[in-house]
Amino acid sequence: MRRLARLSVFAGAIALFGASASAQQTLTVAGYGGSFEQTMRKEVIPDFEKAHKVKVEYVAGNSTDTLAKLQAQKANQVIDVAIVDDGPMYQAIQLGFCGKIAGLPVDDLYTSARFKDDKAVAIGLVATGLMYNTKVFKEKGWSAPTSWNDLKDSKYKKTIVIPPINNTYGLYTLMMFARLNGGGEKNIEPGFKVMKADVNPNVLAYEPSPGKMTELFESGQGLLAVWGSGRVQSFANTGFPVDFVYPKEGAVTLLASACPIAKANASPLASQFIEAMLQPKLQLILLKDYGYGPVNKKVEVPPELAKMAPVGERAAKLINPDWDTINAHRDEWTKRWNREVER
């Protein structure tokens, strides 16, 4: 009986070991959809899974969607790594969702890429400006757009696409028209006035989805848009005739940012996933596939990859928003936008 008992315990131990060995750890990463998701699934996730013996689940959504998921799951976080725009990232940090990144290669990073206490880091630098259909503009004899004020030109009636205010690109459009008309983040009124009276009549759609944005251009309905340099570069990589414009009044900084989610038994792989995205090889992939300006100082940018990306002098001239003011008023502005602009 004693021998049988020992054999039973031994067999149980073997079964338990086999179960734990076969169980694969899962890392849940929430980030942008569209072409960014494609790059992640093709260029980033497979190598990370192989190197760390982990299954990466990717949850696509815009930045405000991801922030809403973090708030909804506050008592039991499912997400391990969040990739969002810098504005929502500041909110995520303030709400206590982000933990400190372990092993951050701080000496390799530009100072502008780091967040307070290293609770997040930029993985790429994006410029917010204008996208236009070069083929149609040439056929119509139109000059390329040069200014945010071109969005007010009546010749573009019902051909302009702008993401809504819950998307950073839409928010920046409102902010820039406030700045260009005597206001700014601390006085947004001029922005609403211009959006309602001058820009709105030209807008075909306030479209948050990257996929639908490209569909509107591919169908010939959309000819001019507010979008990020990365999105435009990715679209242009498909062969579609679009180009990106840095408006003469300035393009606006957008930091695509990542943070490990603070939670009980947080996986160290969350920080390692973020650190992997900061390596020169992946920084070059994000530049090539997605037009992100590198945040790692060791990345040597080939001239052929610098056509649209915010690098060098272009990066130095980007406008940096006052996110403390924006986040304090964003809910109020969103309600007003939905009530007065996007009706």
Side-chain angles (χ1 to χ4, degrees), residues 169 204 251 262 270:
Y169 300 125
L204 169 68

Side-chain angles (χ1 to χ4, degrees), residues 37-55:
E37 179 183 359
Q38 294 171 22
T39 295
M40 292 292 289
R41 292 189 182 279
K42 179 182 176 183
E43 305 280 7
V44 180
I45 291 174
D47 286 348
F48 189 84
E49 288 180 327
K50 184 177 180 181
H52 295 277
K53 304 293 189 294
V54 64
K55 174 64 177 175

Side-chain angles (χ1 to χ4, degrees), residues 82-268:
I83 301 173
V84 297
D85 295 346
D86 41 8
M89 184 60 79
Y90 285 119
Q91 290 179 295
I93 293 171
Q94 186 178 27
L95 292 168
F97 295 141
C98 296
K100 186 171 183 177
I101 303 170
L104 194 65
V106 293
D107 292 339
D108 296 343
L109 302 177
Y110 291 114
T111 303
S112 58
R114 296 177 65 187
F115 286 67
K116 185 179 179 182
D117 299 326
D118 291 329
K119 289 191 173 180
V121 66
I123 58 170
L125 181 61
V126 177
T128 302
L130 306 176
M131 172 176 74
Y132 73 104
N133 185 318
T134 56
K135 182 174 181 290
V136 173
F137 268 63
K138 184 177 180 180
E139 291 171 350
K140 290 181 174 291
W142 292 346
S143 299
T146 60
S147 166
W148 288 98
N149 286 319
D150 284 327
L151 298 174
K152 302 190 297 182
D153 191 328
S154 60
K155 74 181 177 186
Y156 301 125
K157 187 173 183 179
K158 297 302 179 184
T159 64
I160 293 175
V161 187
I162 301 175
I165 195 173
N166 66 352
N167 182 295
T168 302
Y169 300 125
L171 175 67
Y172 281 173
T173 306
L174 175 67
M175 182 194 81
M176 284 307 299
F177 279 117
R179 284 188 172 214
L180 295 178
N181 292 276
E185 291 90 321
K186 295 184 186 300
N187 177 19
I188 205 68
E189 188 62 38
F192 273 106
K193 183 177 180 181
V194 172
M195 286 299 302
K196 289 188 291 183
D198 302 317
V199 178
N200 205 36
N202 296 334
V203 174
L204 169 68
Y206 291 100
E207 181 51 63
S209 165
K212 290 182 180 178
M213 171 74 85
T214 58
E215 286 176 10
L216 288 170
F217 268 69
E218 289 167 340
S219 68
Q221 298 175 78
L223 302 179
L224 179 62
V226 177
W227 228 14
S229 54
R231 292 287 188 191
V232 182
Q233 178 68 71
S234 183
F235 192 17
N237 287 347
T238 68
F240 195 81
V242 288
D243 201 359
F244 182 79
V245 172
Y246 285 77
K248 62 184 180 182
E249 302 89 357
V252 190
T253 302
L254 188 155
L255 295 176
S257 310
C259 87
I261 301 306
K263 58 182 181 178
N265 301 315
S267 172

